[in-house]
Amino acid sequence: KFDVKTIKETECICRYFHREVIPERKEIRKFASEAGENFALVLKAKYACGDDNAKKAMDIYKDILEKGECLYIKDLAISGNDIKSLGVENGKEVGAMLKFALETVLDEPHMNEKHKLMEAVKNRLGMWKLRKACLGLWNPSTSSLTLRKLRVLQIIITNVL
């Protein structure tokens, strides 16, 4: 019988061992974010089995950690409360917006500033509202939009965008 820590480490290594390591900063951030706290163990196991990219990736990963780059939702410059302050009440939607913010920061680390992320989230929320409004106005069974619905859609687009 093994302790919980050993089980989690082993699970992580097994889950990610066969994934290709691309030794590029952005790819390492994304891989590390997905693999979690045991990412270094995955790289060590891959290197021990002869994967030369794992050594390069480990150097990049160490630099990412030293510079304090965001890898997890908990490292974001915004929190769920910030998302709620934009009027999002549903927990799943808050989580989806935090995930979107993390993906944004993994792609572009300079975006991990509160005002930049809030603006990005506002834009994403606007697009969600627009999509929901469009889906609510469009009736695929009749394939028609009435003039009234078109006017409502125009108002929504004007206010959202």
Side-chain angles (χ1 to χ4, degrees):
K1 189 167 178 166
F2 295 100
D3 60 285
V4 174
K5 181 180 178 222
T6 303
I7 292 170
K8 287 187 180 212
E9 290 172 348
T10 306
E11 277 180 349
C12 185
I13 291 169
C14 291
R15 180 177 298 128
Y16 295 104
F17 184 79
H18 294 289
R19 182 166 162 180
E20 181 183 4
V21 176
I22 301 169
E24 295 174 7
R25 197 169 193 86
K26 182 172 151 180
E27 296 300 323
I28 298 303
R29 280 193 303 269
K30 288 181 177 184
F31 194 170
S33 179
E34 185 181 332
E37 62 188 29
N38 294 316
F39 178 63
L41 293 175
V42 174
L43 293 178
K44 287 177 184 176
K46 290 180 79 59
Y47 181 67
C49 291
D51 187 338
D52 292 332
N53 283 341
K55 173 68 171 124
K56 295 173 192 170
M58 182 59 87
D59 293 338
I60 295 169
Y61 180 60
K62 285 178 183 176
D63 189 58
I64 288 169
L65 293 177
E66 286 172 9
K67 292 185 176 175
E69 293 181 25
C70 177
L71 295 175
Y72 310 107
I73 287 176
K74 67 179 182 172
D75 301 328
L76 287 170
I78 63 172
S79 68
N81 289 330
D82 294 315
I83 305 291
K84 289 177 183 176
S85 76
L86 297 175
V88 179
E89 295 176 14
N90 181 307
K92 286 184 179 182
E93 287 181 9
V94 170
M97 287 296 108
L98 287 171
K99 186 176 178 184
F100 163 75
L102 178 62
E103 290 168 2
T104 299
V105 171
L106 291 173
D107 283 336
E108 303 175 55
H110 69 276
M111 289 291 291
N112 197 22
E113 295 179 23
K114 187 171 185 169
H115 69 281
K116 290 180 181 179
L117 283 177
M118 291 296 281
E119 192 61 34
V121 168
K122 282 181 202 173
N123 289 337
R124 175 53 74 100
L125 284 171
M127 295 307 293
W128 272 19
K129 288 177 185 176
L130 179 61
R131 183 173 183 266
K132 283 182 181 179
C134 289
L135 290 174
L137 293 173
W138 180 257
N139 183 347
S141 63
T142 63
S143 298
S144 66
L145 277 174
T146 63
L147 288 175
R148 182 174 177 271
K149 288 180 178 180
L150 283 172
R151 179 67 184 132
V152 169
L153 185 57
Q154 180 185 20
I155 291 168
I156 291 169
I157 292 170
T158 305
N159 290 330
V160 170
L161 306 175

